[in-house]
Amino acid sequence: MSKATVIGLGKSGVAAARLLKREGWEVELSDRNTSQTLLEQQQELAAEQITVKLGQSLELNGANLPQLIVVSPGVPWDIPVLVEARQLGIETIGEMELAWRNLQPLPWVGITGTNGKTTTTALIAAIFQAAELNAPACGNIGYAACEVALSWKRREEGSREQGAGGVGEAFDNSSLLTPNSSLLTPNSSLDWVIAEVSSYQIESSSSLAPRIGVWTTFTPDHLSRHQTLENYYNIKAKLLRQSELQVFNGDDAYLSQLGLSAWPDAYWTSVKGKDFLISEKGFYIKDGWVVEKLTATSTPEPIVKVSSLRMVGEHNQQNLLMAVATARLAGINRDAIALAVREFPGVAHRLEHICTWEGIDFINDSKATNYDAAEVGLASVNSPAILIAGGEAKAGDDTAWLAQIQTKAAAVLLIGSAAPAFAKRLREVEYHNYHIVETMERAVPKSAELAKQYQAPVVLLSPACASFDQYPNFEVRGDRFRHLCLAWAQAEKLQYNSILSSPLTN
């Protein structure tokens, strides 16, 4: 039996291990971390005859080397053991590549970009589903890509057995790790795969070739991993070069500068109108409508009203254009698009409205993990705002973000390991109304106090940082903010009601 090793015991790694096991591989899964949760997963997978090694890194020694290594998205592609594996001729791929190899009969949409890709992916999936297509969002959002592949494999095998006159196997989605969700029913199969693909996932996917590729934005990010902007660009570009059709955000400064010379056949978008389209075909906004122009000679056609989208900000209009472009290139009609756009609630942790207390909106933008995303977040809310920022700092240009703070923030609360450095940068631009509060637990009540003091209509968590100094990921950080905001609002309401019911006030 051929041996495969999976590195990383996260959602993607577990799904990859289960898929490989189903395909007949002897599977070993390794993770250098250890915890009670990982120990429980170890026992669960052992029952499925998948070996899990915790608290140790993969070592390539001895005669029993694996024929295949599958890497979870968070594992750097250039760590010594992976470099050694490739030198030894061991096939080394990412979890996304493994999913692609198992789902190649299906058309894919691959969405990448520095910012905007999660909202765009979720909106594309919503439109496809409104058109009654089974098109799950996966990859860097929703399901792990291998979860989708595993469910499809099981469904296809069950259908073949029933078609052969056998009893067939009942559809089993026990492998799915996302709770409260339904990927396939016994009578359905997949129509499209809608994949949000990070640079890490592209880097480790040699043959991934979507039917439609979408590039949302491009600004410096993840340079600690990719080293140079050119390398980061080339990784992203690989996905688009291997896509049959390409959709680009024509309002992005970097991508638009490259324009037709780099991407002559792409469909470009612009919120600024037809005159700003980079090519003679694309999607743009005119008179409050998303307008389609599929060829140089075709008549422009209105598709959906921009006002149908509930999310604020010009960046979300850009996301809308790219989502509509993708849907139309996939042959989806206007009615399904209009329905999905009208009902789309937005994405958790991206300008997510948590609650309103005393006329102050608390907004969770935890997904803003770099300066550009945080600048967009602050630009999108009403001012003056109380901003909560900080975490684990990333490399990048903070100039525009700092300018936005000077324009729109009544006060800034700083948390996490970046707080001292951010305070220094704010002083350097002569912004002095900041407070180092260190933790989210201190930030939320302080933000409510300051919002009252400055009559600020918004408290915004938009960190401009990774979360790893205090939280496992940005989702946990956003969930903590949500919990604290709701608890604060409820506690204040109870306190107010107790004052009203006190004998002293009767």
Side-chain angles (χ1 to χ4, degrees):
M1 183 183 294
S2 297
K3 181 180 178 181
T5 295
V6 179
I7 303 178
L9 188 60
K11 179 172 69 172
S12 298
V14 171
R18 283 176 164 151
L19 179 59
L20 287 166
K21 185 67 180 177
R22 190 171 184 84
E23 295 296 294
W25 292 79
E26 176 191 345
V27 183
E28 180 179 287
L29 202 160
S30 69
D31 197 300
R32 64 183 180 182
N33 299 310
T34 184
S35 68
Q36 184 58 40
T37 300
L38 294 180
L39 287 169
E40 290 170 2
Q41 283 188 300
Q42 182 184 45
Q43 293 175 351
E44 181 182 340
L45 291 166
E48 302 174 35
Q49 298 183 314
I50 296 172
T51 302
V52 177
K53 293 185 176 181
L54 296 177
Q56 55 187 289
S57 299
L58 174 64
E59 293 183 359
L60 299 174
N61 48 38
N64 191 25
L65 293 175
Q67 284 74 52
L68 175 67
I69 296 175
V70 178
V71 182
S72 297
V75 178
W77 191 236
D78 57 356
I79 57 175
V81 70
L82 296 184
V83 174
E84 181 186 358
R86 291 190 285 270
Q87 290 172 345
L88 290 171
I90 299 171
E91 186 176 20
T92 305
I93 63 173
E95 179 263 346
M96 180 69 73
E97 173 73 11
L98 178 63
W100 163 254
R101 293 181 182 186
N102 283 273
L103 290 168
Q104 275 198 45
L106 298 169
W108 283 50
V109 178
I111 303 99
T112 195
T114 310
N115 297 309
K117 58 183 179 291
T118 296
T119 300
T120 304
T121 302
L123 182 52
I124 289 170
I127 294 172
F128 278 58
Q129 289 156 21
E132 300 184 350
L133 296 169
N134 199 328
C138 68
N140 216 35
I141 178 178
Y143 297 101
C146 279
E147 289 182 86
V148 177
L150 183 56
S151 292
W152 188 68
K153 285 282 185 180
R154 286 180 166 175
R155 177 71 185 87
E156 291 299 298
E157 287 170 13
S159 297
R160 283 197 299 271
E161 287 181 18
Q162 289 175 345
V167 174
E169 74 176 28
F171 176 73
D172 173 17
N173 70 349
S174 61
S175 69
L176 299 184
L177 308 179
T178 306
N180 304 318
S181 58
S182 175
L183 180 52
L184 294 178
T185 67
N187 298 314
S188 71
S189 189
L190 290 177
D191 299 305
W192 283 78
V193 177
I194 314 298
E196 177 185 329
V197 195
S198 71
S199 57
Y200 300 173
Q201 291 164 316
I202 299 170
E203 190 176 34
S204 58
S205 299
S206 58
S207 66
L208 176 60
R211 175 77 56 81
I212 304 171
V214 182
W215 195 336
T216 60
T217 55
F218 184 75
T219 53
D221 198 12
H222 305 303
L223 296 188
S224 59
R225 173 153 167 174
H226 299 312
Q227 305 304 319
T228 67
L229 190 65
E230 181 182 16
N231 190 38
Y232 179 43
Y233 171 84
N234 286 333
I235 290 168
K236 295 279 192 189
K238 183 174 80 168
L239 180 74
L240 277 292
R241 291 192 185 105
Q242 294 180 180
S243 299
E244 184 179 330
L245 300 169
Q246 302 153 344
V247 176
F248 279 80
N249 175 6
D251 296 322
D252 180 83
Y254 194 100
L255 297 177
S256 62
Q257 189 175 19
L258 295 170
L260 293 176
S261 60
W263 305 99
D265 298 319
Y267 291 85
W268 293 84
T269 67
S270 179
V271 300
K272 301 171 186 175
K274 181 181 177 181
D275 292 343
F276 290 85
L277 273 189
I278 289 173
S279 69
E280 295 184 327
K281 61 182 183 182
F283 293 74
Y284 56 91
I285 292 176
K286 180 181 179 181
D287 298 332
W289 283 80
V290 172
V291 177
E292 162 189 287
K293 194 171 189 300
L294 285 179
T295 68
T297 57
S298 63
T299 303
E301 294 186 41
I303 304 299
V304 64
K305 283 187 175 180
V306 176
S307 60
S308 300
L309 187 68
R310 285 186 267 171
M311 295 185 297
V312 299
E314 184 177 276
H315 66 291
N316 279 320
Q317 293 181 9
Q318 293 166 342
N319 297 336
L320 173 64
L321 281 170
M322 290 180 285
V324 171
T326 302
R328 293 297 287 165
L329 292 176
I332 293 175
N333 66 46
R334 294 178 185 80
D335 290 342
I337 293 171
L339 173 64
V341 170
R342 190 166 59 245
E343 296 185 351
F344 186 66
V347 175
H349 311 295
R350 191 67 180 111
L351 292 172
E352 174 193 9
H353 182 268
I354 301 299
C355 63
T356 301
W357 171 77
E358 300 274 321
I360 302 162
D361 291 327
F362 288 76
I363 295 177
N364 169 23
D365 198 33
S366 182
K367 199 175 190 305
T369 59
N370 56 50
Y371 297 119
D372 298 287
E375 179 204 349
V376 168
L378 192 51
S380 300
V381 301
N382 293 327
S383 60
I386 306 301
L387 174 65
I388 301 172
E392 185 179 289
K394 289 183 175 182
D397 185 355
D398 63 2
T399 308
W401 177 62
L402 292 170
Q404 197 68 241
I405 288 174
Q406 290 173 296
T407 302
K408 298 199 68 169
V412 179
L413 300 176
L414 299 174
I415 63 173
S417 61
F422 279 9
K424 181 174 181 290
R425 289 293 291 133
L426 288 168
R427 289 194 301 272
E428 287 171 356
V429 298
E430 299 186 352
Y431 185 98
H432 300 286
N433 201 14
Y434 65 84
H435 307 261
I436 296 179
V437 293
E438 297 181 344
T439 67
M440 197 76 76
E441 287 71 18
R442 294 175 186 165
V444 168
K446 183 67 173 178
S447 69
E449 173 193 325
L450 292 172
K452 281 283 197 180
Q453 179 182 338
Y454 292 105
Q455 297 185 311
V458 170
V459 168
L460 173 67
L461 169 67
S462 193
C465 282
S467 58
F468 305 124
D469 59 331
Q470 294 178 315
Y471 301 95
N473 51 53
F474 73 82
E475 292 98 338
V476 174
R477 176 172 62 190
D479 289 341
R480 184 60 179 161
F481 176 72
R482 183 191 299 109
H483 172 78
L484 290 168
C485 290
L486 294 173
W488 168 265
Q490 182 63 22
E492 289 294 302
K493 181 179 178 181
L494 290 173
Q495 182 178 351
Y496 178 71
N497 288 337
S498 68
I499 291 171
L500 288 180
S501 60
S502 167
L504 296 175
T505 60
N506 291 337

PDB file of all heavy atoms in Angstrom, residues 74-93:
ATOM      1  N   GLY A  74      -1.540  26.424   6.121  1.00  0.00           N
ATOM      2  CA  GLY A  74      -0.727  27.262   7.000  1.00  0.00           C
ATOM      3  C   GLY A  74       0.725  26.854   7.104  1.00  0.00           C
ATOM      4  O   GLY A  74       1.518  27.538   7.753  1.00  0.00           O
ATOM      5  N   VAL A  75       1.095  25.746   6.474  1.00  0.00           N
ATOM      6  CA  VAL A  75       2.473  25.254   6.576  1.00  0.00           C
ATOM      7  C   VAL A  75       3.331  25.891   5.484  1.00  0.00           C
ATOM      8  O   VAL A  75       3.020  25.758   4.295  1.00  0.00           O
ATOM      9  CB  VAL A  75       2.510  23.714   6.438  1.00  0.00           C
ATOM     10  CG1 VAL A  75       3.950  23.206   6.494  1.00  0.00           C
ATOM     11  CG2 VAL A  75       1.664  23.065   7.534  1.00  0.00           C
ATOM     12  N   PRO A  76       4.417  26.605   5.841  1.00  0.00           N
ATOM     13  CA  PRO A  76       5.256  27.249   4.818  1.00  0.00           C
ATOM     14  C   PRO A  76       5.795  26.234   3.814  1.00  0.00           C
ATOM     15  O   PRO A  76       6.200  25.127   4.174  1.00  0.00           O
ATOM     16  CB  PRO A  76       6.393  27.870   5.645  1.00  0.00           C
ATOM     17  CG  PRO A  76       5.802  28.080   6.998  1.00  0.00           C
ATOM     18  CD  PRO A  76       4.854  26.938   7.214  1.00  0.00           C
ATOM     19  N   TRP A  77       5.799  26.647   2.557  1.00  0.00           N
ATOM     20  CA  TRP A  77       6.157  25.764   1.451  1.00  0.00           C
ATOM     21  C   TRP A  77       7.659  25.507   1.393  1.00  0.00           C
ATOM     22  O   TRP A  77       8.106  24.551   0.763  1.00  0.00           O
ATOM     23  CB  TRP A  77       5.671  26.398   0.152  1.00  0.00           C
ATOM     24  CG  TRP A  77       5.715  25.532  -1.069  1.00  0.00           C
ATOM     25  CD1 TRP A  77       6.355  25.816  -2.248  1.00  0.00           C
ATOM     26  CD2 TRP A  77       5.092  24.262  -1.269  1.00  0.00           C
ATOM     27  NE1 TRP A  77       6.158  24.812  -3.155  1.00  0.00           N
ATOM     28  CE2 TRP A  77       5.387  23.834  -2.582  1.00  0.00           C
ATOM     29  CE3 TRP A  77       4.317  23.428  -0.461  1.00  0.00           C
ATOM     30  CZ2 TRP A  77       4.934  22.626  -3.114  1.00  0.00           C
ATOM     31  CZ3 TRP A  77       3.869  22.216  -0.991  1.00  0.00           C
ATOM     32  CH2 TRP A  77       4.178  21.829  -2.289  1.00  0.00           C
ATOM     33  N   ASP A  78       8.448  26.362   2.051  1.00  0.00           N
ATOM     34  CA  ASP A  78       9.907  26.257   1.923  1.00  0.00           C
ATOM     35  C   ASP A  78      10.585  25.812   3.214  1.00  0.00           C
ATOM     36  O   ASP A  78      11.779  26.017   3.387  1.00  0.00           O
ATOM     37  CB  ASP A  78      10.497  27.594   1.465  1.00  0.00           C
ATOM     38  CG  ASP A  78      10.140  28.743   2.407  1.00  0.00           C
ATOM     39  OD1 ASP A  78       9.373  28.520   3.365  1.00  0.00           O
ATOM     40  OD2 ASP A  78      10.633  29.858   2.177  1.00  0.00           O
ATOM     41  N   ILE A  79       9.862  25.183   4.144  1.00  0.00           N
ATOM     42  CA  ILE A  79      10.521  24.678   5.337  1.00  0.00           C
ATOM     43  C   ILE A  79      11.478  23.548   4.933  1.00  0.00           C
ATOM     44  O   ILE A  79      11.267  22.869   3.924  1.00  0.00           O
ATOM     45  CB  ILE A  79       9.508  24.199   6.410  1.00  0.00           C
ATOM     46  CG1 ILE A  79       8.583  23.110   5.843  1.00  0.00           C
ATOM     47  CG2 ILE A  79       8.720  25.362   6.955  1.00  0.00           C
ATOM     48  CD1 ILE A  79       7.651  22.505   6.884  1.00  0.00           C
ATOM     49  N   PRO A  80      12.545  23.336   5.699  1.00  0.00           N
ATOM     50  CA  PRO A  80      13.602  22.397   5.271  1.00  0.00           C
ATOM     51  C   PRO A  80      13.094  21.006   4.914  1.00  0.00           C
ATOM     52  O   PRO A  80      13.572  20.414   3.937  1.00  0.00           O
ATOM     53  CB  PRO A  80      14.529  22.365   6.486  1.00  0.00           C
ATOM     54  CG  PRO A  80      14.375  23.717   7.109  1.00  0.00           C
ATOM     55  CD  PRO A  80      12.940  24.077   6.912  1.00  0.00           C
ATOM     56  N   VAL A  81      12.135  20.464   5.666  1.00  0.00           N
ATOM     57  CA  VAL A  81      11.704  19.098   5.396  1.00  0.00           C
ATOM     58  C   VAL A  81      11.003  18.983   4.045  1.00  0.00           C
ATOM     59  O   VAL A  81      11.125  17.969   3.352  1.00  0.00           O
ATOM     60  CB  VAL A  81      10.807  18.561   6.539  1.00  0.00           C
ATOM     61  CG1 VAL A  81       9.444  19.261   6.550  1.00  0.00           C
ATOM     62  CG2 VAL A  81      10.630  17.050   6.422  1.00  0.00           C
ATOM     63  N   LEU A  82      10.300  20.041   3.623  1.00  0.00           N
ATOM     64  CA  LEU A  82       9.635  20.007   2.317  1.00  0.00           C
ATOM     65  C   LEU A  82      10.640  20.199   1.185  1.00  0.00           C
ATOM     66  O   LEU A  82      10.503  19.599   0.111  1.00  0.00           O
ATOM     67  CB  LEU A  82       8.537  21.068   2.250  1.00  0.00           C
ATOM     68  CG  LEU A  82       7.356  20.889   3.219  1.00  0.00           C
ATOM     69  CD1 LEU A  82       6.293  21.959   2.984  1.00  0.00           C
ATOM     70  CD2 LEU A  82       6.747  19.498   3.081  1.00  0.00           C
ATOM     71  N   VAL A  83      11.636  21.033   1.420  1.00  0.00           N
ATOM     72  CA  VAL A  83      12.716  21.176   0.435  1.00  0.00           C
ATOM     73  C   VAL A  83      13.434  19.844   0.263  1.00  0.00           C
ATOM     74  O   VAL A  83      13.704  19.383  -0.864  1.00  0.00           O
ATOM     75  CB  VAL A  83      13.707  22.272   0.870  1.00  0.00           C
ATOM     76  CG1 VAL A  83      14.918  22.312  -0.073  1.00  0.00           C
ATOM     77  CG2 VAL A  83      13.017  23.639   0.909  1.00  0.00           C
ATOM     78  N   GLU A  84      13.707  19.182   1.390  1.00  0.00           N
ATOM     79  CA  GLU A  84      14.377  17.873   1.343  1.00  0.00           C
ATOM     80  C   GLU A  84      13.507  16.843   0.625  1.00  0.00           C
ATOM     81  O   GLU A  84      14.016  16.039  -0.174  1.00  0.00           O
ATOM     82  CB  GLU A  84      14.666  17.404   2.769  1.00  0.00           C
ATOM     83  CG  GLU A  84      15.389  16.067   2.839  1.00  0.00           C
ATOM     84  CD  GLU A  84      15.525  15.548   4.262  1.00  0.00           C
ATOM     85  OE1 GLU A  84      15.097  16.242   5.209  1.00  0.00           O
ATOM     86  OE2 GLU A  84      16.050  14.422   4.424  1.00  0.00           O
ATOM     87  N   ALA A  85      12.201  16.870   0.902  1.00  0.00           N
ATOM     88  CA  ALA A  85      11.286  15.910   0.269  1.00  0.00           C
ATOM     89  C   ALA A  85      11.316  16.051  -1.245  1.00  0.00           C
ATOM     90  O   ALA A  85      11.388  15.048  -1.981  1.00  0.00           O
ATOM     91  CB  ALA A  85       9.873  16.115   0.799  1.00  0.00           C
ATOM     92  N   ARG A  86      11.288  17.283  -1.722  1.00  0.00           N
ATOM     93  CA  ARG A  86      11.298  17.506  -3.170  1.00  0.00           C
ATOM     94  C   ARG A  86      12.633  17.059  -3.777  1.00  0.00           C
ATOM     95  O   ARG A  86      12.675  16.521  -4.887  1.00  0.00           O
ATOM     96  CB  ARG A  86      10.997  18.977  -3.471  1.00  0.00           C
ATOM     97  CG  ARG A  86       9.548  19.369  -3.151  1.00  0.00           C
ATOM     98  CD  ARG A  86       9.183  20.751  -3.684  1.00  0.00           C
ATOM     99  NE  ARG A  86       9.746  21.828  -2.911  1.00  0.00           N
ATOM    100  CZ  ARG A  86       9.152  22.405  -1.866  1.00  0.00           C
ATOM    101  NH1 ARG A  86       7.975  21.966  -1.446  1.00  0.00           N
ATOM    102  NH2 ARG A  86       9.717  23.408  -1.225  1.00  0.00           N
ATOM    103  N   GLN A  87      13.720  17.274  -3.029  1.00  0.00           N
ATOM    104  CA  GLN A  87      15.031  16.826  -3.509  1.00  0.00           C
ATOM    105  C   GLN A  87      15.105  15.301  -3.588  1.00  0.00           C
ATOM    106  O   GLN A  87      15.795  14.745  -4.447  1.00  0.00           O
ATOM    107  CB  GLN A  87      16.127  17.361  -2.580  1.00  0.00           C
ATOM    108  CG  GLN A  87      16.336  18.864  -2.687  1.00  0.00           C
ATOM    109  CD  GLN A  87      17.282  19.404  -1.619  1.00  0.00           C
ATOM    110  OE1 GLN A  87      17.569  18.729  -0.628  1.00  0.00           O
ATOM    111  NE2 GLN A  87      17.769  20.628  -1.821  1.00  0.00           N
ATOM    112  N   LEU A  88      14.387  14.624  -2.688  1.00  0.00           N
ATOM    113  CA  LEU A  88      14.350  13.159  -2.677  1.00  0.00           C
ATOM    114  C   LEU A  88      13.383  12.594  -3.709  1.00  0.00           C
ATOM    115  O   LEU A  88      13.259  11.376  -3.849  1.00  0.00           O
ATOM    116  CB  LEU A  88      13.957  12.658  -1.281  1.00  0.00           C
ATOM    117  CG  LEU A  88      14.985  12.851  -0.168  1.00  0.00           C
ATOM    118  CD1 LEU A  88      14.376  12.521   1.195  1.00  0.00           C
ATOM    119  CD2 LEU A  88      16.217  11.976  -0.425  1.00  0.00           C
ATOM    120  N   GLY A  89      12.681  13.478  -4.408  1.00  0.00           N
ATOM    121  CA  GLY A  89      11.740  13.025  -5.419  1.00  0.00           C
ATOM    122  C   GLY A  89      10.382  12.619  -4.863  1.00  0.00           C
ATOM    123  O   GLY A  89       9.590  11.962  -5.558  1.00  0.00           O
ATOM    124  N   ILE A  90      10.090  13.004  -3.608  1.00  0.00           N
ATOM    125  CA  ILE A  90       8.778  12.713  -3.010  1.00  0.00           C
ATOM    126  C   ILE A  90       7.790  13.771  -3.487  1.00  0.00           C
ATOM    127  O   ILE A  90       8.031  14.974  -3.309  1.00  0.00           O
ATOM    128  CB  ILE A  90       8.865  12.712  -1.474  1.00  0.00           C
ATOM    129  CG1 ILE A  90       9.843  11.644  -0.986  1.00  0.00           C
ATOM    130  CG2 ILE A  90       7.482  12.487  -0.862  1.00  0.00           C
ATOM    131  CD1 ILE A  90      10.140  11.719   0.504  1.00  0.00           C
ATOM    132  N   GLU A  91       6.713  13.337  -4.094  1.00  0.00           N
ATOM    133  CA  GLU A  91       5.719  14.305  -4.571  1.00  0.00           C
ATOM    134  C   GLU A  91       5.146  15.067  -3.384  1.00  0.00           C
ATOM    135  O   GLU A  91       4.674  14.471  -2.411  1.00  0.00           O
ATOM    136  CB  GLU A  91       4.607  13.614  -5.331  1.00  0.00           C
ATOM    137  CG  GLU A  91       3.632  14.606  -5.952  1.00  0.00           C
ATOM    138  CD  GLU A  91       2.552  13.971  -6.800  1.00  0.00           C
ATOM    139  OE1 GLU A  91       2.299  12.756  -6.631  1.00  0.00           O
ATOM    140  OE2 GLU A  91       1.957  14.695  -7.618  1.00  0.00           O
ATOM    141  N   THR A  92       5.185  16.384  -3.466  1.00  0.00           N
ATOM    142  CA  THR A  92       4.735  17.247  -2.369  1.00  0.00           C
ATOM    143  C   THR A  92       3.723  18.238  -2.912  1.00  0.00           C
ATOM    144  O   THR A  92       4.037  19.012  -3.826  1.00  0.00           O
ATOM    145  CB  THR A  92       5.939  17.995  -1.752  1.00  0.00           C
ATOM    146  OG1 THR A  92       6.927  17.036  -1.366  1.00  0.00           O
ATOM    147  CG2 THR A  92       5.512  18.788  -0.531  1.00  0.00           C
ATOM    148  N   ILE A  93       2.504  18.201  -2.376  1.00  0.00           N
ATOM    149  CA  ILE A  93       1.423  19.057  -2.874  1.00  0.00           C
ATOM    150  C   ILE A  93       0.654  19.649  -1.704  1.00  0.00           C
ATOM    151  O   ILE A  93       0.779  19.206  -0.565  1.00  0.00           O
ATOM    152  CB  ILE A  93       0.446  18.274  -3.790  1.00  0.00           C
ATOM    153  CG1 ILE A  93      -0.253  17.156  -2.996  1.00  0.00           C
ATOM    154  CG2 ILE A  93       1.173  17.711  -5.002  1.00  0.00           C
ATOM    155  CD1 ILE A  93      -1.354  16.431  -3.764  1.00  0.00           C
TER     156      ILE A  93
END
